[in-house]
Amino acid sequence: MTTHRSIALLSRIKPVVNAIALRNAVAVIVDHRSGGQYAAFQIDRRTLGVVSSRNISSNSSSRPPDTSLFVPLSIKSEQSGDGSVGAELTKPLDKNEILKILNRFYKRKEMQKLAGEHGLDARLFHQAFVSFRKYVLEAGTLGADLHIILSDICCGAGHIDDIYPYFMRHAKQIFPMLDCMDDLRKISDLRVPANWYPEARAIQRKVIFHAGPTNSGKTHHAIQRYLAAKSAVYCGPLKLLAHEIFEKSNNAGVPCDLVTGEERTFVDPEGRQAGHVACTIEMCSVTTPYEVAVIDEIQMIRDLSRGWAWTRALLGLCAQEIHVCGEAAAINFVTELMYSTGEEVEVHNYKRLTPFSVLDHAVESLDNLRPGDCIVCFSKNDIYSISRQIEVRGKECAVIYGSLPPGTKLAQAKKFNDPDNPCKILIATDAIGMGLNLSIKRIIFNSLMKPNINEKGEKEMDIISTSQALQIAGRAGRFSSAFKEGEVTTMHRDDLPVLKDILSRAVEPIETAGLHPTAEQIEMFAYHLPEASLSNLVDIFVSLSQVDGLYFVCNIEDFKFLADMIQHIPLNLRSRYVFCTAPINKKQPFVCTSFLKFARQFSRDEPLTFNWVCRHISWPLAPPRNLKDLVHLEAVHDVLDLYLWLSYRFMDMFPDANLVRDIQKELDDTIQEGVRNITRLIRASDPHANSSKLPEPQGPRPQAQRKGRGPKVLGARAEQREVDKSLISRLVQDGLLTPDLLQQLRMEWLEQQGSHRQTGKGTRGTTNKGKKEKK
């Protein structure tokens, strides 16, 4: 019996022995007699499990991580396995005394410096200390080793710095990334993306760059080589472009499949893959061998959101010939990028087939419109307003904007191009810049201010770039259209010199290409940080990522938006990642709600059947009676697109893709009918609107627009609501008022109102008199 008790006592005293050894080791860490000079140290992990020498060595990575992204894990104050051994061998701890000791430890500059050498900057040190203090004070019983250390310090037998290893052990429990920072940096090292594609590196590819402006025939020459090849892939930025090549190839007798995010069409009745495929660039395969590959609109490689897809295609396509089409501004960059793969670039330059000229006068009034005119707006509100005003003048117009389904866009383009159709005027956003063949004589810029997404994912209003202006202006006078020469001008007189200045500048050369973390990289991150949310994982990945001067990490705000939306839904990491890469319009509440319901149903392992979808969207849907109905139908079309997109990634859970595609075609027809009657919908939405005349510009336009870059209006607040026509929104849209200035005006107004209330009636009377004098 005594033997068993001795063994039990020895097992309980083992932590005490560890504590004594730890105290001796700590003496090596801090030499009190030398004023806190530090020496490199290593504590035996087999004995203590506290600090690893691997983490002591300085990381050779360039920049420190953004520790604001490190979310501490919560550690429960559970009963220690040592029971009350520490209290039995020493005495119970006085919590007030312990609090004083811990606060003294926190104020020790030497401890803060030592913690900083192990990855705890001031922010993390504070968070770790708060958590450690809470743990120590709220724990029912502490581990024997920590209990004895604290007891010795209370009795004057130990030094306050002896707490450090236990503090670091706790810090690494709540910040697990501290223990694997080197591994995380290696995973997020994006400096040599060419090595991600071993199949492409195993062959010597020939790169041909077809450079030229819009309507120069550059893509035509690349497609001729595409059609002549035994096998080929076309990679375009839009579904419309992929459809166009798909139809052109099959009409030429070259069997071609179509692959987009939402659609797979195989020309072979038995589903065998054809030698040719036309796809959206995100969907191209980097493992399938081809004789020829065509990458269209290569200048989009610098796009802040989608640039990664062009980088992946350019570096990864496994084809003997890579035909790249785009602006000449990308030639030097693509050539430099190919140095990293050891591949030479052959450049073919093209000139515009038909000229276009910038007119010396603005249109100024809708009464001066002519057949073949296209008014370009950067707001749906402007499209609605102008189309109504044109109808009042007895003219018919076609309408094209980005959120319309592809079928509706094509129908409106056909209506405008048809010489026998009375519709001779087009109102469009910059959606006409790519993917549609239009017979336009004159491009008229209604405004030069366009909402853009900056590097931080924020929306800002800015003057269009030279590249954007040329892309849009180039739609005038197409080679295959009825107009052999194009004209470009503005609606407002004061915008014309600004437009001429923009078009006279050289296009800014492309200097960087986009990258995006892959599912495999995020999975490796999650292995080291299993408790982190997907949004937090991606944030930390970008923070630690290393890229060389040729690349940048694409904007991940949309990805994080979706990740945060479904964080509470139980999904495995790969499925969660796929859901978050879905291309949805986050500005549409119904689309976001549908996305959430899709994810929830998926997590329950319940298939999303055709009947379930019909119940969700309330199918069948009535034709739109006003603009609100039309916007909802567009959102429903996006929801069906989302279903089809997911159906090709989770076929068993989204089994009724064909049935959904059938009702989507019916919905497209309904939307087409609504757009054909858009002026009637506008009247129903705003029956009291006075649209007899286009508002004339009053006074000079903002002086800032005459400079190279216009005034920036940051934030999504700059975006107008669907039918909001307030003075403030128009001032913000035109760049005359920024949100910051608006906020300042509101604050001054509130302060003025507050002072009025405080000074009483007499002062109010004086103030009113002053106001009259100002008026």
Side-chain angles (χ1 to χ4, degrees):
M1 192 74 170
T2 305
T3 305
H4 288 298
R5 290 187 62 185
S6 300
I7 293 173
L9 182 60
L10 284 172
S11 65
R12 298 176 73 192
I13 291 178
K14 183 178 178 182
V16 182
V17 178
N18 286 347
I20 296 171
L22 180 59
R23 190 186 319 160
N24 294 334
V26 172
V28 180
I29 303 174
V30 183
D31 184 356
H32 312 297
R33 293 166 298 182
S34 60
Q37 298 298 313
Y38 299 98
F41 68 99
Q42 180 175 7
I43 298 175
D44 188 354
R45 295 189 71 186
R46 292 171 297 179
T47 306
L48 305 175
V50 180
V51 183
S52 166
S53 62
R54 180 168 69 91
N55 296 310
I56 299 172
S57 61
S58 62
N59 197 305
S60 59
S61 302
S62 55
R63 59 174 181 171
D66 181 0
T67 55
S68 65
L69 303 173
F70 293 1
V71 180
L73 302 180
S74 58
I75 303 295
K76 294 183 179 179
S77 302
E78 298 177 348
Q79 187 78 11
S80 171
D82 299 335
S84 57
V85 172
E88 292 178 12
L89 294 176
T90 57
K91 63 178 181 179
L93 298 174
D94 183 346
K95 294 296 174 90
N96 290 329
E97 191 66 26
I98 295 302
L99 178 60
K100 294 178 182 178
I101 290 172
L102 292 176
N103 288 337
R104 283 165 50 204
F105 170 82
Y106 175 74
K107 295 176 182 178
R108 290 273 295 165
K109 298 297 183 184
E110 294 86 350
M111 293 297 96
Q112 294 179 21
K113 181 178 179 182
L114 186 59
E117 293 175 0
H118 294 88
L120 286 179
D121 62 8
R123 180 199 300 269
L124 296 188
F125 182 83
H126 176 75
Q127 289 181 292
F129 173 75
V130 170
S131 177
F132 180 66
R133 181 177 61 190
K134 181 180 179 183
Y135 168 76
V136 170
L137 295 177
E138 294 183 0
T141 56
L142 295 173
D145 48 358
L146 178 56
H147 187 108
I148 292 173
I149 290 292
L150 293 173
S151 179
D152 285 355
I153 297 173
C154 289
C155 298
H159 193 277
I160 196 170
D161 293 347
D162 297 349
I163 298 173
Y164 177 77
Y166 298 96
F167 167 74
M168 280 303 300
R169 179 169 61 189
H170 182 87
K172 290 182 179 181
Q173 287 178 326
I174 66 170
F175 294 117
M177 62 283 296
L178 296 176
D179 243 346
C180 54
M181 194 61 69
D182 288 343
D183 294 330
L184 296 179
R185 288 188 184 278
K186 289 176 182 177
I187 295 169
S188 58
D189 190 340
L190 309 179
R191 287 177 291 188
V192 193
N195 292 345
W196 302 350
Y197 310 103
E199 291 88 351
R201 301 291 78 79
I203 62 175
Q204 188 65 28
R205 306 181 306 169
K206 181 180 180 181
V207 181
I208 299 98
F209 196 123
H210 301 269
T214 57
N215 195 27
S216 61
K218 56 185 184 297
T219 307
H220 171 79
H221 285 84
I223 294 302
Q224 293 307 305
R225 180 68 186 94
Y226 167 90
L227 296 173
K230 294 179 181 178
S231 62
V233 58
Y234 167 83
C235 308
L238 301 173
K239 288 184 284 187
L240 284 174
L241 288 171
H243 270 277
E244 181 183 341
I245 301 303
F246 166 73
E247 293 176 355
K248 182 179 292 187
S249 182
N250 286 302
N251 291 339
V254 179
C256 176
D257 295 335
L258 175 68
V259 177
T260 70
E262 301 80 17
E263 187 175 1
R264 309 285 190 281
T265 302
F266 299 100
V267 292
D268 185 85
E270 298 179 4
R272 287 190 294 265
Q273 293 185 2
H276 288 63
V277 59
C279 64
T280 46
I281 194 159
E282 287 87 353
M283 300 305 299
C284 70
S285 169
V286 293
T287 56
T288 305
Y290 299 102
E291 180 183 346
V292 168
V294 177
I295 304 175
D296 207 357
E297 306 293 352
I298 188 61
Q299 68 273 6
M300 291 190 70
I301 199 169
R302 67 175 166 191
D303 186 83
L304 295 177
S305 299
R306 298 178 65 200
W308 63 268
W310 276 263
T311 305
R312 173 177 173 270
L314 183 60
L315 295 178
L317 280 171
C318 196
Q320 298 170 26
E321 292 182 20
I322 307 289
H323 290 257
V324 178
C325 306
E327 296 176 357
I331 293 175
N332 291 339
F333 177 75
V334 171
T335 302
E336 186 177 0
L337 207 60
M338 293 298 97
Y339 286 152
S340 64
T341 64
E343 295 161 337
E344 297 181 0
V345 178
E346 178 183 313
V347 180
H348 297 177
N349 285 298
Y350 302 86
K351 293 183 178 181
R352 185 174 167 87
L353 298 174
T354 57
F356 76 82
S357 58
V358 182
L359 300 179
D360 291 326
H361 54 85
V363 175
E364 298 194 83
S365 170
L366 295 180
D367 295 325
N368 298 327
L369 293 180
R370 305 192 301 252
D373 278 350
C374 172
I375 304 174
V376 177
C377 308
F378 298 112
S379 160
K380 283 170 68 174
N381 282 341
D382 288 345
I383 287 181
Y384 297 150
S385 173
I386 293 174
S387 62
R388 174 82 185 275
Q389 294 171 51
I390 289 176
E391 183 221 23
V392 169
R393 288 163 169 79
K395 298 178 182 178
E396 191 173 344
C397 63
V399 171
I400 295 176
Y401 50 87
S403 58
L404 287 177
T408 305
K409 291 177 185 174
L410 290 171
Q412 289 291 297
K414 183 178 180 181
K415 172 184 175 182
F416 174 71
N417 289 336
D418 186 356
D420 298 326
N421 195 297
C423 171
K424 300 301 179 186
I425 296 170
L426 174 64
I427 310 170
T429 64
D430 53 341
I432 64 167
M434 296 179 189
L436 292 169
N437 291 316
L438 297 164
S439 186
I440 298 172
K441 170 64 175 177
R442 182 171 62 169
I443 289 285
I444 303 167
F445 285 91
N446 185 60
S447 170
L448 299 177
M449 301 294 291
K450 180 181 186 298
N452 292 307
I453 303 297
N454 63 18
E455 295 85 350
K456 297 179 181 179
E458 300 169 326
K459 179 165 285 189
E460 62 182 21
M461 295 293 292
D462 198 4
I463 289 182
I464 58 175
S465 67
T466 299
S467 177
Q468 292 169 333
L470 287 172
Q471 186 79 33
I472 297 169
R475 309 307 290 179
R478 300 282 291 181
F479 178 73
S480 57
S481 74
F483 305 106
K484 301 307 178 185
E485 293 187 10
E487 297 172 348
V488 181
T489 187
T490 60
M491 180 62 70
H492 303 284
R493 183 188 312 165
D494 292 331
D495 281 339
L496 189 55
V498 182
L499 177 63
K500 289 184 177 180
D501 179 53
I502 293 172
L503 293 175
S504 66
R505 300 183 214 144
V507 177
E508 292 183 8
I510 294 172
E511 297 176 342
T512 52
L515 296 173
H516 194 281
T518 64
E520 292 76 14
Q521 290 167 327
I522 297 301
E523 281 180 335
M524 286 190 283
F525 248 57
Y527 172 79
H528 291 288
L529 306 174
E531 301 299 324
S533 68
L534 179 56
S535 177
N536 191 227
L537 282 174
V538 175
D539 265 336
I540 296 174
F541 183 98
V542 174
S543 169
L544 295 177
S545 64
Q546 302 171 72
V547 295
D548 67 20
L550 294 177
Y551 301 97
F552 67 91
V553 179
C554 283
N555 184 279
I556 56 169
E557 292 307 310
D558 287 351
F559 183 97
K560 287 169 52 185
F561 175 83
L562 298 182
D564 289 335
M565 190 190 301
I566 61 172
Q567 179 57 38
H568 65 287
I569 298 177
L571 295 170
N572 65 61
L573 183 65
R574 179 58 71 105
S575 298
R576 190 180 299 277
Y577 181 93
V578 172
F579 264 85
C580 293
T581 56
I584 77 167
N585 182 0
K586 67 180 184 181
K587 294 186 294 184
Q588 287 281 7
F590 183 70
V591 178
C592 293
T593 302
S594 303
F595 175 81
L596 193 60
K597 289 186 177 181
F598 284 11
R600 188 176 292 117
Q601 184 85 349
F602 180 93
S603 71
R604 297 175 184 143
D605 204 25
E606 299 176 4
L608 287 85
T609 63
F610 175 71
N611 290 334
W612 185 94
V613 173
C614 288
R615 286 195 302 272
H616 171 64
I617 64 174
S618 303
W619 185 262
L621 293 164
R625 294 165 298 178
N626 49 45
L627 284 179
K628 184 179 178 181
D629 290 348
L630 180 62
V631 170
H632 178 69
L633 293 185
E634 292 169 5
V636 173
H637 193 279
D638 287 346
V639 169
L640 299 182
D641 259 348
L642 173 63
Y643 182 98
L644 295 173
W645 190 91
L646 290 167
S647 72
Y648 289 109
R649 285 128 184 107
F650 307 106
M651 294 185 180
D652 54 334
M653 296 299 294
F654 297 83
D656 296 330
N658 290 333
L659 294 174
V660 169
R661 186 172 288 108
D662 289 340
I663 64 171
Q664 190 184 44
K665 290 177 181 176
E666 292 182 39
L667 178 60
D668 199 337
D669 293 338
T670 304
I671 294 174
Q672 286 182 40
E673 184 63 28
V675 173
R676 278 196 292 269
N677 300 310
I678 193 166
T679 53
R680 178 177 59 80
L681 302 185
I682 294 170
R683 285 198 304 272
S685 302
D686 191 13
H688 304 295
N690 179 15
S691 49
S692 59
K693 193 172 183 180
L694 181 70
E696 301 293 338
Q698 298 295 324
R701 303 285 281 183
Q703 194 66 29
Q705 292 192 18
R706 300 183 184 277
K707 299 180 181 179
R709 303 292 289 174
K712 294 189 175 183
V713 182
L714 296 177
R717 291 170 294 176
E719 179 192 354
Q720 287 184 317
R721 296 187 180 274
E722 283 301 314
V723 198
D724 178 18
K725 298 181 180 179
S726 68
L727 175 61
I728 289 177
S729 64
R730 275 181 274 166
L731 290 173
V732 170
Q733 182 194 8
D734 291 339
L736 296 169
L737 185 64
T738 68
D740 291 338
L741 183 57
L742 178 60
Q743 184 65 22
Q744 184 180 346
L745 290 172
R746 283 172 175 163
M747 294 298 294
E748 291 179 4
W749 170 257
L750 291 174
E751 290 174 3
Q752 188 181 35
Q753 292 301 303
S755 65
H756 290 171
R757 284 192 293 269
Q758 292 173 4
T759 52
K761 294 182 179 179
T763 307
R764 281 199 298 270
T766 305
T767 305
N768 290 334
K769 183 179 179 181
K771 285 183 180 179
K772 292 178 181 178
E773 290 175 356
K774 288 183 181 179
K775 288 181 181 179

